[in-house]
Amino acid sequence: MTAGLDADVVGADAAAERRDEVVSDVTDHAGRIARELARLQGGDYGQEEFETDRGTWTLKYEGGDVQYLRFEDRGTETYVVSTQQPPEPAALADAMTDYDAFVESFNDYVRSLDGVLDDVSDEVPDLVSVDSVVEERERILSRMRETCDQMAQQLHRAEGGDYGSFGARVGSSRWELKWEEGRTSYLRVGGEGGVYIISQYQPPSVYDLRSHADDFPGFVEAFNEHVEEISEALDTVSL
């Protein structure tokens, strides 16, 4: 039963070394194709298929490196280049007989793009400046912030704390002024998830400002009524 164990075993070193040499050369060459594709497609990663008479080659790349180069021939897949494992030598040899056709398919693809942009005009219309809109928005917001800061100072003096808030309903919307140390932190309309009219991060859109600006005087009136209520409450205190 053990007689066969004396038989010589042919080493695979030579075939494996040659396979690795071929894969290394193909990786370098396909890497050049990958970089050209990246330039054409305008991104660091992607993939492209190239048809030949025998089958389909798929090149996937990322950051200028080949992720894989796959050859499909009548339902048989061979990963000529892969980050997982090298191909079988016989499968590699078979795929490499079609490699020149793959390269030519890529070249044909590049040639097909020659002149594609020749008739594209580089003339564009003049841009309309947003300066006037932005300036008007800043003018309105500046006036609103000035008023809100005055409100914050009054609240700071009346309530005695370093921070707080004042809220009131104007029409169908809830307005809230958040203040800290006598200055406005934010003015928000609509509660959580609402529109920030005044914020330390960014101004509202012109459409949001347009939608709510007319209700701001009503919010100020509600604040004045609140102050009057506080004053009346103190008037009832006698010493």
Side-chain angles (χ1 to χ4, degrees):
M1 294 178 62
T2 60
L5 296 179
D6 293 331
D8 292 336
V9 176
V10 176
D13 290 349
E17 289 178 3
R18 179 55 184 156
R19 184 267 316 279
D20 292 344
E21 290 176 0
V22 173
V23 169
S24 178
D25 290 342
V26 173
T27 301
D28 290 342
H29 190 268
R32 291 165 51 194
I33 296 176
R35 288 186 286 276
E36 293 299 305
L37 283 174
R39 292 178 60 198
L40 280 173
Q41 297 182 356
D44 291 332
Y45 58 90
Q47 71 177 42
E48 192 71 39
E49 292 184 352
F50 300 93
E51 301 291 336
T52 67
D53 291 340
R54 279 191 53 191
T56 302
W57 290 79
T58 303
L59 176 62
K60 183 176 182 180
Y61 60 90
E62 182 174 351
D65 295 326
V66 178
Q67 295 298 294
Y68 65 73
L69 177 62
R70 182 180 63 215
F71 176 57
E72 297 177 72
D73 177 17
R74 297 184 297 275
T76 299
E77 291 185 348
T78 300
Y79 282 82
V80 176
V81 178
S82 172
T83 58
Q84 304 299 318
Q85 65 182 35
E88 293 291 333
L92 175 62
D94 180 65
M96 289 305 296
T97 61
D98 197 57
Y99 187 78
D100 286 351
F102 156 62
V103 176
E104 187 57 33
S105 180
F106 166 76
N107 290 338
D108 288 343
Y109 169 68
V110 175
R111 294 189 191 101
S112 72
L113 300 176
D114 286 345
V116 166
L117 299 176
D118 287 354
D119 296 330
V120 176
S121 174
D122 59 359
E123 295 182 3
V124 294
D126 293 335
L127 295 176
V128 176
S129 174
V130 300
D131 287 351
S132 61
V133 176
V134 171
E135 289 172 3
E136 182 63 11
R137 178 179 63 185
E138 291 308 310
R139 185 191 67 79
I140 295 172
L141 288 178
S142 177
R143 185 70 182 93
M144 294 173 75
R145 179 179 286 278
E146 180 183 348
T147 301
C148 286
D149 283 346
Q150 292 176 10
M151 296 164 66
Q153 291 165 13
Q154 297 284 8
L155 291 167
H156 179 51
R157 293 173 58 194
E159 298 183 8
D162 290 333
Y163 57 88
S165 65
F166 169 75
R169 184 166 292 279
V170 181
S172 61
S173 299
R174 175 74 178 175
W175 287 65
E176 182 183 13
L177 169 65
K178 181 77 172 181
W179 56 271
E180 183 173 354
E181 296 183 346
R183 298 199 59 174
T184 304
S185 294
Y186 66 72
L187 176 64
R188 183 177 64 195
V189 182
E192 292 291 337
V195 176
Y196 285 83
I197 302 299
I198 296 175
S199 167
Q200 59 181 318
Y201 298 107
Q202 64 184 31
S205 72
V206 294
Y207 296 106
D208 285 337
L209 183 58
R210 171 68 272 177
S211 297
H212 299 291
D214 288 343
D215 288 334
F216 182 68
F219 178 63
V220 177
E221 291 175 2
F223 171 79
N224 289 336
E225 293 174 1
H226 173 69
V227 172
E228 289 177 0
E229 290 174 1
I230 295 175
S231 299
E232 290 174 359
L234 291 176
D235 287 342
T236 62
V237 177
S238 61
L239 298 176

